[in-house]
Structure formats: structure tokens, C-alpha cells
Amino acid sequence: MTEAPAKIRCDACPVMCYIAPGQTGACDRYANADGRIIRTDPVVLLSHTVEAGARVVPFAARDWDGSPVPADAFVTGIGSGTTYPDYKPAPFIVSSQVEGADMVTVVTEAIFSYCGVKVKIDTDRFLGPEGAIVRAQGEPVGHVTTAEYGSQMLSLGGVHHLTGGGKAEGRVTCAAMLALCNGGAVELTIDGGSTVVVQAGQAPVVDGVRERRMRVGCGSATIGMFAVQWRGLVDEVVVVDDHITGVVSEHQAGKVIGWEPSGIKIKGHRSTPGRYFRVSEPGQGWGGTRLTDPLEILGEWNPKKGARPGLRLLMVSTTGEQYAYYVLDDDLRPVQHELPGNLRKTVELIDENCEPSLCTVLFVGGAGGSLRAGVAKNPVRLTRSVQGGVTRLTSGGAETFVWPGGGITFMVDVTRLPKGAFGYVPTPALVAPLEFTLPREAYLAMGGHEDSIRSLEEAMAEGGEYPTAARVEPWP
């Protein structure tokens, strides 16, 4: 009786899969090829001299002569393999010369249990109350955080969702983050709010409607920008906004150019002249409010302060999507009329100044853990070098923002990485590419793995710990 080929154990992550011949592990990143663990995806090299497309070249091929790889090739962490278990050096420690200086780039795929995704959604629509739970496939994966200028912000992932809840919560959180980081679309539902389809670099879809633009500013800012355009065409302008509704006759911008009082009264919390808070609850209507009829926020007009029959009123939202034109009748009640052509141009100007509505996805990871041992024998020196600006940290070749303070906490815009840059392991955790670049002298001073430093040519000839191929791509 013929014995079945033996499974072999993969030690590239904490799951430690036993992989049968011709099969991959649970992460689909490593496979058993003829009794040897190989990396299934090619390591990605970036080059400024490659203009389009991509080509695959073999690592550790006996007939490789170096010709397929551009001289300026930069080895990224994408497809490189991990340092796990972290006592061993990083998969690639590559020497190079940059403007005549001897440099070292330490390349690895980092396993992140401590990671998350920050999502910026350009919309005035009410997505949900601050602090509300965000769900994917019914599982909690994050929460709504502070709204910023013209955008709603979500915080997704993090160690508590990945490992602190049930298995389904961790699995769904990991899958949602992986999809977002690799440019996929993810449907999210917000408790007490909306359903949103989010995709990096694309317009959000809120409750089935694709957003087109973000607001030009709050109501007060809109008046500051366009009061001069309205002067002489209309007697009063109200810019309806969930946060700060503006009234041009009271606003300083109107006062400076000689705007006459109109006797208008706004139902809301008056802040400074011409600026009102809480004119309505947030919603899907005018300017991110619940309003479908903007007249709801108006009180009685005061003839002692300028109200008169024939007074012309323009009400408009902060995107120019909603607008209405009224004239006061003999009883000082606003009666709607067709918008005059000259005022229509001013509404179109608001629209023109609104930027496209997009979703931005930032991966956030804490790289202050044991992966540092794959870079240096004294890990805290790497932290200090990154924080001190001696070591440059990139992710898949993309610039990162490193947070001040302890550890190495960084953020990167996922659209600046090559496609498919992120992976996962079913612990669950995300896998992200990292590159640490620093002067060779500084690397040796921090206790770097000197014996593992290779030139690009040597790295190509030898390959990494796990046999793989290389893909040369243009810089994104």
C-alpha cells in the first residue's frame, strides 16, 4: 500500500498549518511544493524606470543573469515573507547606494494583531451618531468617530474586535479590513444610522445612493466665500447646514460689504452674528439636516428690523444640491418662485467649488512589537531610530506617517500601495508590508543583522527563506 505524501508544517505565522503536497495553508500565502514550503505570491520590486505593466522574474534561478531587474529596483515587503518566529532576521536585508551613501533596507511582511483602519467618507449625509457601532455582516467591526470638515470618520478594526470578541467577530473584522486595504468594496451598517458601501478612492454609497460631492464648507464658510456674488441679486441668503447655518445679512462677511438687515428670525442656537447651531436634527435632507422644507427653520419676520413685502430670499444647501427662492408677500410670508437665472449661476458656483465625494482608507498599525527583532538585535534602538527620523519607514514603498510618542505606530494611504499588498493570517490578523531604510553605519550601530545583509544581486540569486518569484512594477 502506497503511503500518502507527508504533510509538512509551515512556521510562517502562529497558526502553524500542516500543509499537504500541492496545497496551500489557511492564509493562501504559503504552499507545499514537493515537500518544501514556498511563498505563493511574488515579492514586489518597484522601479521608476518601469513605466507600465509588470513582469515576473524568478528568484534563485541558476540561469538568472541580472538583466530583467532594473538597477533602481526597490525591494518591498509585499510577498517577502515574515520574520515569524521573530528570533530570525527579516527575509531581505538589502544594501544599496542612494546618492552615493551606503544604505540598508530591511524588508518584511509584518503580522498585525494590533491594527485598524481609519475611513474618511466625504459626505454631508448623516451616517450615524458619534460612537455608534459599525457592523459588517451583522458583526461589530468598529465605531463612528468625530466628524471632520465635510467628512464623516469611521474607526474600524483594532485588537479588541480582532481578538476580544467571538470567532465570527474576529473573522469578519479581519475580512472587512483586508478587503478595504486591498481596494475592495465593503458594505457597513451603522447602529441608528445608515448603510454605507465604502471603497478606497471611490464615492461612498449611502442608503443605496452614490454620493457625488462633498460640501464646499459649513454655512458660515459658504457665506464668506460667496457673499459678494449675491450682493445686489437678493436681499437675504440662508445657507442651511447641520453644523453651522449661515445668514448673510447678520454675518460679518455681509456687514463688511454693506448688507442691509432683513428682519429674518432663525430657529436655532445663535452662536456669533450670522452663525446658528442646531437648526435641525441631522439627517438626509438639506445640508445634512433632516429638513425637506427649509422654511421650517424660519420664525416670524420682523418689519421693525427690515422685513418688508417683496423681500427676496435665497435658501441653499452647502453643496448647492438643494435651493429655493422666495419673495415675501404682504403678510411677510415667504412665497416660492422660480429661481432667477442670475441666482442660478451663484448656486452653480457653489456646486463647482464642491470637491468629488470619495472614501479614503488609512491602514494603522503598531510595529513596535517583536518584528523589530528581525531588524535589530536591540529592538528599542530601531524604535528610537524611526522616531528620530534616522530610519525611514515605508509600507509597500509608500510613505507613512509615524505617530509621535512611544512605539512605532504608523498610518498609510492604501491607494498608494500596489494592488494586493495586504494579506492575512487566520489568528486573525492582517499582514502588511514594511521597509525600514537607513544608513548602513546606523544599522550596524543599532545591532543590525550584519551577516544577513545582501546586495540586490545577491538577494535575487539566493532568494528569501521561502522560494518565490519577483514582480517588477512601476512606482504607484
Side-chain angles (χ1 to χ4, degrees), residues 119-127 147-154 196-206 209-216 319 321 354-361:
V119 181
K120 173 176 174 280
I121 303 173
D122 300 333
T123 180
D124 262 359
R125 310 297 177 204
F126 177 65
L127 299 184
E148 308 302 344
Y149 210 42
S151 304
Q152 308 291 304
M153 315 292 281
L154 307 181
V196 190
V197 177
V198 174
Q199 185 174 10
Q202 301 296 320
V205 179
V206 181
V209 178
R210 183 173 294 276
E211 293 291 278
R212 191 171 70 85
R213 55 199 160 191
M214 63 188 299
R215 65 180 181 172
V216 68
T319 60
E321 291 176 283
C354 292
E355 296 178 76
S357 180
L358 294 175
C359 297
T360 302
V361 176

Short mmCIF file of all heavy atoms in Angstrom, two decimals, residues 119-127 147-154 196-206 209-216 319 321 354-361:
data_model
loop_
_atom_site.label_atom_id
_atom_site.label_comp_id
_atom_site.label_asym_id
_atom_site.label_seq_id
_atom_site.Cartn_x
_atom_site.Cartn_y
_atom_site.Cartn_z
N VAL A 119 -11.36 55.37 8.23
CA VAL A 119 -12.08 55.63 6.98
C VAL A 119 -12.64 57.04 7.00
O VAL A 119 -13.36 57.41 7.93
CB VAL A 119 -13.22 54.61 6.76
CG1 VAL A 119 -13.93 54.89 5.43
CG2 VAL A 119 -12.69 53.19 6.78
N LYS A 120 -12.31 57.82 6.00
CA LYS A 120 -12.85 59.17 5.82
C LYS A 120 -13.86 59.11 4.68
O LYS A 120 -13.52 58.72 3.56
CB LYS A 120 -11.72 60.15 5.50
CG LYS A 120 -12.16 61.56 5.13
CD LYS A 120 -10.92 62.43 4.94
CE LYS A 120 -11.26 63.81 4.41
NZ LYS A 120 -11.50 63.80 2.95
N ILE A 121 -15.10 59.49 4.97
CA ILE A 121 -16.18 59.42 3.99
C ILE A 121 -16.66 60.84 3.72
O ILE A 121 -17.22 61.49 4.60
CB ILE A 121 -17.34 58.54 4.50
CG1 ILE A 121 -16.82 57.14 4.85
CG2 ILE A 121 -18.46 58.48 3.47
CD1 ILE A 121 -17.87 56.27 5.52
N ASP A 122 -16.43 61.31 2.50
CA ASP A 122 -16.80 62.67 2.15
C ASP A 122 -18.29 62.75 1.87
O ASP A 122 -18.75 62.36 0.79
CB ASP A 122 -16.02 63.13 0.91
CG ASP A 122 -14.52 63.10 1.13
OD1 ASP A 122 -14.09 63.23 2.27
OD2 ASP A 122 -13.79 62.95 0.13
N THR A 123 -19.04 63.24 2.82
CA THR A 123 -20.50 63.37 2.66
C THR A 123 -21.06 64.25 3.75
O THR A 123 -20.52 64.30 4.86
CB THR A 123 -21.19 62.00 2.69
OG1 THR A 123 -22.60 62.19 2.54
CG2 THR A 123 -20.94 61.28 4.01
N ASP A 124 -22.16 64.92 3.42
CA ASP A 124 -22.93 65.65 4.43
C ASP A 124 -24.04 64.78 5.01
O ASP A 124 -24.70 65.18 5.96
CB ASP A 124 -23.58 66.89 3.79
CG ASP A 124 -22.77 68.14 4.05
OD1 ASP A 124 -21.73 68.04 4.73
OD2 ASP A 124 -23.16 69.22 3.58
N ARG A 125 -24.25 63.63 4.42
CA ARG A 125 -25.34 62.77 4.90
C ARG A 125 -25.05 62.31 6.33
O ARG A 125 -23.91 62.06 6.71
CB ARG A 125 -25.49 61.55 4.00
CG ARG A 125 -25.57 61.84 2.53
CD ARG A 125 -26.78 62.66 2.16
NE ARG A 125 -26.77 62.98 0.75
CZ ARG A 125 -27.39 64.01 0.21
NH1 ARG A 125 -28.09 64.84 0.96
NH2 ARG A 125 -27.32 64.23 -1.08
N PHE A 126 -26.09 62.15 7.08
CA PHE A 126 -25.96 61.64 8.43
C PHE A 126 -25.75 60.13 8.37
O PHE A 126 -26.61 59.39 7.92
CB PHE A 126 -27.22 61.96 9.24
CG PHE A 126 -27.20 61.41 10.64
CD1 PHE A 126 -26.28 61.87 11.56
CD2 PHE A 126 -28.10 60.44 11.01
CE1 PHE A 126 -26.27 61.36 12.85
CE2 PHE A 126 -28.09 59.92 12.30
CZ PHE A 126 -27.18 60.39 13.22
N LEU A 127 -24.59 59.69 8.82
CA LEU A 127 -24.29 58.26 8.78
C LEU A 127 -24.65 57.55 10.07
O LEU A 127 -24.97 56.36 10.06
CB LEU A 127 -22.80 58.05 8.48
CG LEU A 127 -22.30 58.60 7.14
CD1 LEU A 127 -20.84 58.23 6.94
CD2 LEU A 127 -23.15 58.12 5.98
N ALA A 147 -16.81 63.78 13.39
CA ALA A 147 -17.00 64.30 12.04
C ALA A 147 -15.98 65.41 11.81
O ALA A 147 -15.73 66.23 12.70
CB ALA A 147 -18.42 64.83 11.87
N GLU A 148 -15.39 65.43 10.63
CA GLU A 148 -14.46 66.49 10.27
C GLU A 148 -15.08 67.29 9.13
O GLU A 148 -16.18 67.01 8.68
CB GLU A 148 -13.10 65.91 9.91
CG GLU A 148 -12.52 64.96 10.97
CD GLU A 148 -12.33 65.58 12.35
OE1 GLU A 148 -12.37 66.82 12.46
OE2 GLU A 148 -12.16 64.84 13.33
N TYR A 149 -14.37 68.27 8.64
CA TYR A 149 -14.96 69.26 7.73
C TYR A 149 -15.46 68.60 6.45
O TYR A 149 -14.67 68.24 5.58
CB TYR A 149 -13.91 70.32 7.42
CG TYR A 149 -14.47 71.68 7.12
CD1 TYR A 149 -15.52 72.19 7.87
CD2 TYR A 149 -13.95 72.47 6.12
CE1 TYR A 149 -16.02 73.46 7.62
CE2 TYR A 149 -14.44 73.73 5.86
CZ TYR A 149 -15.48 74.23 6.61
OH TYR A 149 -15.98 75.48 6.36
N GLY A 150 -16.76 68.43 6.34
CA GLY A 150 -17.34 67.85 5.14
C GLY A 150 -17.20 66.35 5.04
O GLY A 150 -17.50 65.77 4.00
N SER A 151 -16.72 65.70 6.10
CA SER A 151 -16.48 64.26 6.04
C SER A 151 -16.90 63.60 7.34
O SER A 151 -16.84 64.20 8.41
CB SER A 151 -14.98 63.97 5.81
OG SER A 151 -14.52 64.63 4.65
N GLN A 152 -17.33 62.36 7.21
CA GLN A 152 -17.64 61.52 8.37
C GLN A 152 -16.51 60.50 8.54
O GLN A 152 -16.01 59.97 7.55
CB GLN A 152 -18.97 60.79 8.16
CG GLN A 152 -20.12 61.70 7.76
CD GLN A 152 -20.55 62.61 8.90
OE1 GLN A 152 -20.88 62.16 9.99
NE2 GLN A 152 -20.54 63.91 8.65
N MET A 153 -16.15 60.22 9.77
CA MET A 153 -14.99 59.37 10.03
C MET A 153 -15.42 58.10 10.77
O MET A 153 -16.22 58.15 11.70
CB MET A 153 -13.96 60.12 10.89
CG MET A 153 -13.69 61.54 10.44
SD MET A 153 -12.85 61.67 8.85
CE MET A 153 -11.18 61.31 9.34
N LEU A 154 -14.85 56.97 10.33
CA LEU A 154 -15.08 55.69 10.98
C LEU A 154 -13.74 55.12 11.45
O LEU A 154 -12.72 55.28 10.78
CB LEU A 154 -15.74 54.69 10.03
CG LEU A 154 -17.02 55.10 9.31
CD1 LEU A 154 -17.51 53.96 8.43
CD2 LEU A 154 -18.09 55.54 10.28
N VAL A 196 -23.73 51.97 4.42
CA VAL A 196 -22.76 52.65 3.57
C VAL A 196 -21.87 51.62 2.89
O VAL A 196 -21.37 50.71 3.54
CB VAL A 196 -21.87 53.61 4.39
CG1 VAL A 196 -21.03 54.48 3.46
CG2 VAL A 196 -22.70 54.48 5.31
N VAL A 197 -21.70 51.78 1.59
CA VAL A 197 -20.71 50.97 0.86
C VAL A 197 -19.46 51.81 0.71
O VAL A 197 -19.49 52.91 0.14
CB VAL A 197 -21.24 50.52 -0.52
CG1 VAL A 197 -20.16 49.75 -1.27
CG2 VAL A 197 -22.49 49.68 -0.36
N VAL A 198 -18.36 51.30 1.25
CA VAL A 198 -17.10 52.04 1.30
C VAL A 198 -16.07 51.33 0.43
O VAL A 198 -15.94 50.11 0.47
CB VAL A 198 -16.60 52.11 2.76
CG1 VAL A 198 -15.23 52.75 2.82
CG2 VAL A 198 -17.58 52.88 3.63
N GLN A 199 -15.33 52.12 -0.36
CA GLN A 199 -14.25 51.59 -1.18
C GLN A 199 -13.23 52.69 -1.38
O GLN A 199 -13.58 53.81 -1.77
CB GLN A 199 -14.76 51.10 -2.53
CG GLN A 199 -13.71 50.43 -3.40
CD GLN A 199 -14.30 49.84 -4.66
OE1 GLN A 199 -15.45 50.08 -5.01
NE2 GLN A 199 -13.50 49.06 -5.38
N ALA A 200 -11.97 52.40 -1.08
CA ALA A 200 -10.92 53.42 -1.17
C ALA A 200 -10.85 54.01 -2.57
O ALA A 200 -10.83 53.29 -3.57
CB ALA A 200 -9.57 52.81 -0.79
N GLY A 201 -10.85 55.35 -2.62
CA GLY A 201 -10.73 56.04 -3.91
C GLY A 201 -12.00 56.14 -4.70
O GLY A 201 -12.00 56.65 -5.82
N GLN A 202 -13.13 55.63 -4.14
CA GLN A 202 -14.42 55.68 -4.82
C GLN A 202 -15.42 56.48 -3.99
O GLN A 202 -15.24 56.67 -2.79
CB GLN A 202 -14.96 54.26 -5.05
CG GLN A 202 -14.05 53.37 -5.87
CD GLN A 202 -13.87 53.87 -7.29
OE1 GLN A 202 -14.83 54.32 -7.92
NE2 GLN A 202 -12.66 53.77 -7.82
N ALA A 203 -16.48 56.94 -4.66
CA ALA A 203 -17.52 57.66 -3.94
C ALA A 203 -18.30 56.70 -3.04
O ALA A 203 -18.55 55.55 -3.43
CB ALA A 203 -18.47 58.32 -4.93
N PRO A 204 -18.67 57.13 -1.83
CA PRO A 204 -19.48 56.27 -0.97
C PRO A 204 -20.89 56.12 -1.51
O PRO A 204 -21.40 57.00 -2.21
CB PRO A 204 -19.47 57.02 0.37
CG PRO A 204 -19.30 58.46 -0.02
CD PRO A 204 -18.42 58.45 -1.23
N VAL A 205 -21.52 55.00 -1.17
CA VAL A 205 -22.92 54.78 -1.50
C VAL A 205 -23.68 54.74 -0.17
O VAL A 205 -23.48 53.83 0.64
CB VAL A 205 -23.13 53.48 -2.28
CG1 VAL A 205 -24.61 53.27 -2.59
CG2 VAL A 205 -22.31 53.50 -3.57
N VAL A 206 -24.51 55.75 0.06
CA VAL A 206 -25.22 55.90 1.33
C VAL A 206 -26.68 55.54 1.13
O VAL A 206 -27.39 56.18 0.34
CB VAL A 206 -25.10 57.34 1.87
CG1 VAL A 206 -25.82 57.46 3.22
CG2 VAL A 206 -23.63 57.72 2.03
N VAL A 209 -27.68 55.29 -2.45
CA VAL A 209 -27.47 56.44 -3.32
C VAL A 209 -25.99 56.79 -3.35
O VAL A 209 -25.39 57.04 -2.29
CB VAL A 209 -28.30 57.66 -2.84
CG1 VAL A 209 -28.04 58.87 -3.75
CG2 VAL A 209 -29.78 57.32 -2.82
N ARG A 210 -25.41 56.83 -4.54
CA ARG A 210 -23.99 57.17 -4.66
C ARG A 210 -23.81 58.68 -4.49
O ARG A 210 -24.45 59.48 -5.17
CB ARG A 210 -23.45 56.73 -6.03
CG ARG A 210 -21.96 57.00 -6.22
CD ARG A 210 -21.44 56.40 -7.52
NE ARG A 210 -21.52 54.95 -7.48
CZ ARG A 210 -20.60 54.17 -6.94
NH1 ARG A 210 -19.52 54.71 -6.39
NH2 ARG A 210 -20.74 52.86 -6.95
N GLU A 211 -22.93 59.04 -3.57
CA GLU A 211 -22.63 60.45 -3.35
C GLU A 211 -21.85 61.02 -4.52
O GLU A 211 -21.05 60.31 -5.15
CB GLU A 211 -21.83 60.62 -2.06
CG GLU A 211 -22.60 60.29 -0.79
CD GLU A 211 -23.70 61.30 -0.53
OE1 GLU A 211 -23.41 62.37 0.03
OE2 GLU A 211 -24.86 61.01 -0.90
N ARG A 212 -22.05 62.30 -4.77
CA ARG A 212 -21.37 62.94 -5.90
C ARG A 212 -20.35 63.96 -5.45
O ARG A 212 -19.31 64.12 -6.07
CB ARG A 212 -22.41 63.59 -6.82
CG ARG A 212 -21.84 64.05 -8.14
CD ARG A 212 -22.92 64.48 -9.10
NE ARG A 212 -23.57 65.72 -8.72
CZ ARG A 212 -23.10 66.93 -9.03
NH1 ARG A 212 -21.96 67.06 -9.69
NH2 ARG A 212 -23.75 68.00 -8.67
N ARG A 213 -20.64 64.66 -4.37
CA ARG A 213 -19.73 65.74 -3.97
C ARG A 213 -19.80 65.95 -2.47
O ARG A 213 -20.79 65.61 -1.82
CB ARG A 213 -20.10 67.04 -4.69
CG ARG A 213 -21.55 67.42 -4.49
CD ARG A 213 -22.04 68.40 -5.51
NE ARG A 213 -23.50 68.36 -5.57
CZ ARG A 213 -24.21 68.95 -6.51
NH1 ARG A 213 -23.61 69.61 -7.46
NH2 ARG A 213 -25.51 68.88 -6.51
N MET A 214 -18.75 66.53 -1.93
CA MET A 214 -18.73 66.93 -0.54
C MET A 214 -19.05 68.42 -0.47
O MET A 214 -18.97 69.13 -1.48
CB MET A 214 -17.39 66.63 0.11
CG MET A 214 -16.21 67.36 -0.47
SD MET A 214 -14.61 66.79 0.19
CE MET A 214 -14.78 67.16 1.94
N ARG A 215 -19.42 68.89 0.69
CA ARG A 215 -19.83 70.29 0.78
C ARG A 215 -18.67 71.25 0.59
O ARG A 215 -17.50 70.91 0.84
CB ARG A 215 -20.49 70.54 2.14
CG ARG A 215 -19.56 70.39 3.32
CD ARG A 215 -20.31 70.66 4.61
NE ARG A 215 -19.43 70.54 5.76
CZ ARG A 215 -19.78 70.88 6.98
NH1 ARG A 215 -21.00 71.32 7.22
NH2 ARG A 215 -18.94 70.77 7.99
N VAL A 216 -18.98 72.45 0.15
CA VAL A 216 -17.95 73.46 -0.08
C VAL A 216 -17.40 73.97 1.24
O VAL A 216 -16.26 74.41 1.33
CB VAL A 216 -18.52 74.61 -0.93
CG1 VAL A 216 -19.56 75.40 -0.14
CG2 VAL A 216 -17.42 75.52 -1.43
N THR A 319 -23.91 72.19 -0.55
CA THR A 319 -23.42 71.59 -1.79
C THR A 319 -24.08 72.19 -3.03
O THR A 319 -23.67 71.88 -4.15
CB THR A 319 -23.69 70.07 -1.81
OG1 THR A 319 -25.10 69.84 -1.71
CG2 THR A 319 -22.97 69.37 -0.67
N GLU A 321 -26.96 71.39 -3.90
CA GLU A 321 -27.91 70.39 -4.40
C GLU A 321 -29.35 70.81 -4.14
O GLU A 321 -30.25 70.52 -4.94
CB GLU A 321 -27.65 69.04 -3.73
CG GLU A 321 -26.36 68.39 -4.15
CD GLU A 321 -26.09 67.10 -3.38
OE1 GLU A 321 -25.69 67.17 -2.21
OE2 GLU A 321 -26.33 66.03 -3.97
N CYS A 354 -17.45 72.45 -4.97
CA CYS A 354 -17.50 71.24 -4.16
C CYS A 354 -16.60 70.18 -4.77
O CYS A 354 -16.68 69.91 -5.96
CB CYS A 354 -18.94 70.71 -4.08
SG CYS A 354 -20.05 71.78 -3.15
N GLU A 355 -15.76 69.58 -3.96
CA GLU A 355 -14.86 68.54 -4.46
C GLU A 355 -15.58 67.20 -4.57
O GLU A 355 -16.59 66.98 -3.90
CB GLU A 355 -13.65 68.43 -3.53
CG GLU A 355 -12.81 69.68 -3.52
CD GLU A 355 -11.65 69.56 -2.56
OE1 GLU A 355 -10.68 68.87 -2.91
OE2 GLU A 355 -11.72 70.15 -1.48
N PRO A 356 -15.08 66.29 -5.40
CA PRO A 356 -15.73 64.99 -5.54
C PRO A 356 -15.77 64.25 -4.20
O PRO A 356 -14.85 64.33 -3.40
CB PRO A 356 -14.82 64.25 -6.54
CG PRO A 356 -14.10 65.33 -7.27
CD PRO A 356 -13.92 66.44 -6.29
N SER A 357 -16.85 63.54 -3.99
CA SER A 357 -17.01 62.76 -2.77
C SER A 357 -16.26 61.44 -2.91
O SER A 357 -16.50 60.68 -3.85
CB SER A 357 -18.50 62.49 -2.52
OG SER A 357 -18.68 61.75 -1.34
N LEU A 358 -15.34 61.17 -1.99
CA LEU A 358 -14.52 59.97 -2.05
C LEU A 358 -14.42 59.31 -0.67
O LEU A 358 -14.66 59.95 0.35
CB LEU A 358 -13.10 60.29 -2.54
CG LEU A 358 -12.93 60.79 -3.96
CD1 LEU A 358 -11.49 61.18 -4.21
CD2 LEU A 358 -13.37 59.72 -4.96
N CYS A 359 -14.05 58.05 -0.67
CA CYS A 359 -13.69 57.35 0.56
C CYS A 359 -12.17 57.25 0.62
O CYS A 359 -11.53 56.88 -0.36
CB CYS A 359 -14.28 55.94 0.59
SG CYS A 359 -16.08 55.89 0.57
N THR A 360 -11.62 57.58 1.76
CA THR A 360 -10.19 57.43 2.00
C THR A 360 -9.99 56.37 3.07
O THR A 360 -10.65 56.41 4.11
CB THR A 360 -9.58 58.76 2.45
OG1 THR A 360 -9.83 59.75 1.47
CG2 THR A 360 -8.08 58.63 2.65
N VAL A 361 -9.09 55.44 2.83
CA VAL A 361 -8.83 54.34 3.78
C VAL A 361 -7.37 54.40 4.19
O VAL A 361 -6.47 54.33 3.35
CB VAL A 361 -9.15 52.97 3.15
CG1 VAL A 361 -8.78 51.85 4.12
CG2 VAL A 361 -10.63 52.89 2.77
#
